[in-house]
Amino acid sequence: MLAIFKKELRSYFTSATGYIFLAVAMALLGAVFGATTFLQGTGETGTYFIFMLVILAVILPILTMKMFSEEKRTKTEQLLLTAPVSITKMVFGKYLAAFTMFMIVVVASMFNYIPLYAYTVDDSISSTMPPNIVMILGSTFAIILAGMCFIAIGMFISSLTENQFAAIVITFGVLAALLGISIFNGYIPSAAIRGIFDWFSVYDRFYNFTYGLFDFGALIYYLSVAGVFVFLTIRVFEARRYR
Amino acid sequence: MVEIKNLVKKYGNKYALDDISFTINSGEIVGFLGPNGAGKSTTMNIVTGYLASTSGTVVVDGKDIFENPLEAKKLIGYLPEQPPLYVDMTVQEYLNFVFELKGCTLNKQKHIDEICTITKIISVRHRLIKNLSKGYKQRVGIAQALIGNPPIIIFDEPTVGLDPKQIIEVRNLIRNLGKTHTVILSTHILSEVQSVCNRIVVINSGKIVADEKTENLNKTINENTRYRVKVSGPQRDVSQTLRNLPGVVSIESLNERDADAFVYIIESEPNIDIRKKLFKTLADKGWPMLGLEGVGAELEDIFIKLTDKKGKKGE
């Protein structure tokens, strides 16, 4: 598993993918952070985290698009699948590599809070509310959970196709739909259907965390979604052997 | 070493493999021969655990590939039809990765050095795989299969797309590996198995049509004796006369001529030596015989005969 993890992480940086991912992520997050805090003259970060969730849905497919599709296209998956390594370990190795890339962004983006904190606590410059550490930690935790789901979904889609482009487009579509549910759900007249869609809504569950509330149900929800898609990816490879 | 029993693989309703059984003993170099689409790659992919079979078992040194895949896979080095190379890596990085992937416990640098020496890729170790020639890529593919010293090595069409010099090099390499490993080699090139393998398993349309030692296969199939004769004389008359000789089964007149002489292929019944009679008859007619040589059946002919025969039986 470690071999696959290392190889995957390396491959992000031997191709342009890793650099593009990091550059786009940091640029977007930096810009949105500035626009939602400094420019608004506030230390409140709730809006920033909601934007961050949307940005992740756009950029995480860059990481996941070639996870398996590229291996399938170049037939290198034959090496992995005939090596004495279980499919589960192979999938986890790849998943952890993408997750690590994602965590680099999460950790790097936390440096944004330092100037914000310095800026807001200095009363002589502004009288705005300083950032709430608990809210930031809660939101970051939720972001990590949502990222785990997005990566698992993207990985699953990548395992279904050998076309990277198809993988990125479909993943983006699915993630957009998951986030969009909460927007159009209000227009659905039937409460029963609304209830079903609500269950799929990544956004609604995210919301509590941005207020620093720990939502245990949401934690279970995010972990389950990530788990289900990791499991489905494993099943894809097991099922393919029988085709 | 490798025991394949009643292997069946269905793709939808099509049988890619229809009840295949054979056993490969330790130390053998087995050629797995068949036309394109016969089921060679499917068999290889099942034996290496890449595909699952519809039914049947594969046991590698006592370990079932379906029930105990990790143990069985450790014993096999596999070079698929398209070498599974990460082209953005250098040769050294790639082999390091394969070494770790296979979880080898040998001395890493020493082992990789040895393999690079055997496969003659030392000079390109630090180059990116994507910049290598096809011949070198193939050798890196072979090196990958050798990592971890698996006792069984499986090559799927290892010489396809190589130039003649590279083909000879790869064949020599495989022959040398055969001294210390059990080798299974799939190919649709008959001269390849003839020059490399000591046993041939012929497959066609998912069924085994022959399984013999290489030299036996020639004898088994060569029911009639064939000669190539060059006779100076009128083509039609000579042809007619030859046909009337006792023991002659068939005569084929080739469109090859040397001044007024024509070339014929005569096939005779196996127990009758027609050569003396042939010489005398032609001498009597006043048609000088300019050449006479025995023609062994080519593996190509054997193959066509075998596949035709089994095909007809099946119908």
Side-chain angles (χ1 to χ4, degrees):
Chain A
M1 186 161 92
L2 189 64
I4 292 175
F5 170 76
K6 272 163 57 186
K7 182 223 111 196
E8 280 295 298
L9 208 53
R10 253 192 99 264
S11 81
Y12 282 126
F13 294 105
T14 49
S15 66
T17 323
Y19 297 104
I20 292 175
F21 170 76
L22 291 178
V24 173
M26 295 319 293
L28 286 176
L29 289 177
V32 168
F33 187 78
T36 54
T37 55
F38 291 108
L39 294 182
Q40 302 295 322
T42 173
E44 204 270 317
T45 50
T47 323
Y48 162 67
F49 278 107
I50 287 165
F51 273 106
M52 188 171 183
L53 187 67
V54 176
I55 289 170
L56 289 181
V58 177
I59 59 170
L60 281 179
I62 300 176
L63 281 189
T64 59
M65 65 174 181
K66 65 176 193 129
M67 267 176 140
F68 289 107
S69 50
E70 179 80 353
E71 304 253 9
K72 198 170 176 184
R73 193 177 60 80
T74 59
K75 310 262 175 181
T76 45
E77 65 168 18
Q78 272 188 310
L79 174 65
L80 303 182
L81 294 172
T82 59
V85 177
S86 68
I87 293 172
T88 311
K89 281 187 177 168
M90 175 187 83
V91 170
F92 268 104
K94 289 201 163 234
Y95 182 80
L96 286 180
F99 182 70
T100 304
M101 290 296 287
F102 162 64
M103 283 306 287
I104 291 174
V105 167
V106 171
V107 171
S109 69
M110 291 183 101
F111 286 101
N112 289 339
Y113 307 125
I114 297 169
L116 181 68
Y117 197 76
Y119 166 77
T120 48
V121 293
D122 189 348
D123 289 337
S124 62
I125 303 173
S126 85
S127 57
T128 51
M129 190 176 71
N132 182 323
I133 303 285
V134 175
M135 276 169 65
I136 288 178
L137 288 179
S139 304
T140 305
F141 183 64
I143 283 287
I144 293 171
L145 288 176
M148 286 171 72
C149 292
F150 292 175
I151 294 171
I153 292 169
M155 176 169 78
F156 170 67
I157 292 168
S158 178
S159 73
L160 297 176
T161 170
E162 55 185 85
N163 185 338
Q164 291 184 35
F165 187 68
I168 194 171
V169 170
I170 297 170
T171 308
F172 179 67
V174 170
L175 298 185
L178 278 179
L179 288 177
I181 284 173
S182 28
I183 300 171
F184 66 76
N185 209 13
Y187 300 103
I188 295 174
S190 156
I193 295 177
R194 257 204 319 271
I196 293 170
F197 277 125
D198 270 343
W199 200 88
F200 286 104
S201 175
V202 175
Y203 177 80
D204 287 352
R205 283 156 213 279
F206 183 75
Y207 208 65
N208 282 341
F209 283 102
T210 60
Y211 286 104
L213 296 173
F214 185 81
D215 182 345
F216 190 73
L219 172 72
I220 298 296
Y221 168 81
Y222 284 127
L223 290 180
S224 317
V225 171
V228 163
F229 280 99
V230 169
F231 174 75
L232 284 177
T233 312
I234 296 168
R235 293 299 303 161
V236 165
F237 283 95
E238 281 171 358
R240 259 227 323 266
R241 296 178 59 212
Y242 289 91
R243 262 219 311 258
Chain B
M1 206 70 187
V2 182
E3 216 177 311
I4 297 170
K5 250 192 218 151
N6 306 105
L7 210 57
V8 175
K9 177 72 181 176
K10 275 167 92 174
Y11 291 118
N13 284 327
K14 260 198 79 188
Y15 282 92
L17 295 179
D18 189 359
D19 199 16
I20 280 190
S21 301
F22 62 98
T23 303
I24 291 160
N25 304 313
S26 183
E28 277 186 316
I29 308 184
V30 177
F32 202 47
L33 183 70
N36 293 324
K40 300 188 298 282
S41 290
T42 305
T43 311
M44 306 255 150
N45 281 333
I46 292 174
V47 172
T48 54
Y50 180 60
L51 290 177
S53 64
T54 309
S55 67
T57 56
V58 175
V59 177
V60 183
D61 200 17
K63 282 140 193 136
D64 190 302
I65 192 84
F66 309 114
E67 282 161 20
N68 200 349
L70 300 189
E71 288 301 308
K73 283 173 181 176
K74 268 184 197 160
L75 303 170
I76 299 175
Y78 181 37
L79 174 67
E81 204 167 349
Q82 189 179 338
L85 305 173
Y86 291 101
V87 293
D88 285 330
M89 292 185 182
T90 66
V91 174
Q92 179 74 43
E93 286 166 347
Y94 175 68
L95 295 179
N96 282 342
F97 166 65
V98 176
F99 185 92
E100 288 170 25
L101 180 72
K102 291 188 179 179
C104 301
T105 48
L106 301 154
N107 179 324
K108 186 170 173 181
Q109 203 47 53
K110 197 170 152 246
H111 182 55
I112 291 177
D113 281 351
E114 276 169 17
I115 284 169
C116 289
T117 312
I118 296 169
T119 50
K120 294 185 184 142
I121 51 174
I122 287 204
S123 58
V124 298
R125 297 174 77 145
H126 299 293
R127 285 174 58 186
L128 285 176
I129 293 174
K130 66 176 153 199
N131 296 334
L132 297 181
S133 70
K134 186 132 203 221
Y136 270 116
K137 280 183 183 156
Q138 194 70 14
R139 279 192 245 170
V140 175
I142 294 173
Q144 161 274 122
L146 296 180
I147 282 191
N149 275 335
I152 301 159
I153 301 176
I154 299 182
F155 296 111
D156 196 356
E157 310 238 354
T159 58
V160 165
L162 301 183
D163 70 35
K165 188 166 166 275
Q166 294 166 335
I167 288 177
I168 291 169
E169 283 172 1
V170 168
R171 283 183 192 167
N172 284 337
L173 181 58
I174 293 171
R175 214 173 288 132
N176 282 330
L177 289 173
K179 289 172 190 159
T180 47
H181 297 78
T182 304
V183 178
I184 307 174
L185 164 85
S186 95
T187 178
H188 62 268
I189 306 159
L190 302 144
S191 57
E192 191 153 292
V193 272
Q194 232 172 1
S195 73
V196 176
C197 305
N198 42 38
R199 185 174 144 204
I200 301 181
V201 175
V202 185
I203 181 172
N204 188 45
S205 315
K207 288 191 170 121
I208 289 180
V209 288
D211 180 355
E212 301 251 15
K213 290 242 181 287
T214 309
E215 64 265 25
N216 288 353
L217 198 64
N218 276 313
K219 288 181 202 153
T220 319
I221 304 307
N222 201 2
E223 287 157 348
N224 295 322
T225 319
R226 283 150 48 108
Y227 299 101
R228 187 186 156 90
V229 206
K230 193 191 267 186
V231 183
S232 169
Q235 193 176 14
R236 194 184 296 167
D237 294 346
V238 173
S239 192
Q240 193 56 48
T241 312
L242 292 177
R243 188 167 289 121
N244 292 336
L245 277 176
V248 169
V249 178
S250 76
I251 178 139
E252 186 188 348
S253 171
L254 300 183
N255 283 326
E256 225 178 279
R257 66 183 291 182
D258 175 3
D260 62 342
F262 292 88
V263 178
Y264 309 86
I265 299 282
I266 303 178
E267 204 171 326
S268 74
E269 282 166 24
N271 310 323
I272 303 170
D273 189 345
I274 59 160
R275 284 174 297 180
K276 284 178 186 163
K277 192 98 185 171
L278 177 71
F279 178 79
K280 208 168 172 313
T281 313
L282 290 173
D284 286 348
K285 292 272 188 183
W287 296 325
M289 184 160 72
L290 303 182
L292 174 65
E293 55 180 332
V295 183
E298 290 287 311
L299 211 47
E300 266 85 356
D301 302 323
I302 293 173
F303 184 68
I304 289 164
K305 273 188 189 168
L306 276 173
T307 46
D308 278 1
K309 215 194 271 172
K310 294 274 169 150
K312 274 171 198 154
K313 265 185 206 164
E315 274 160 20

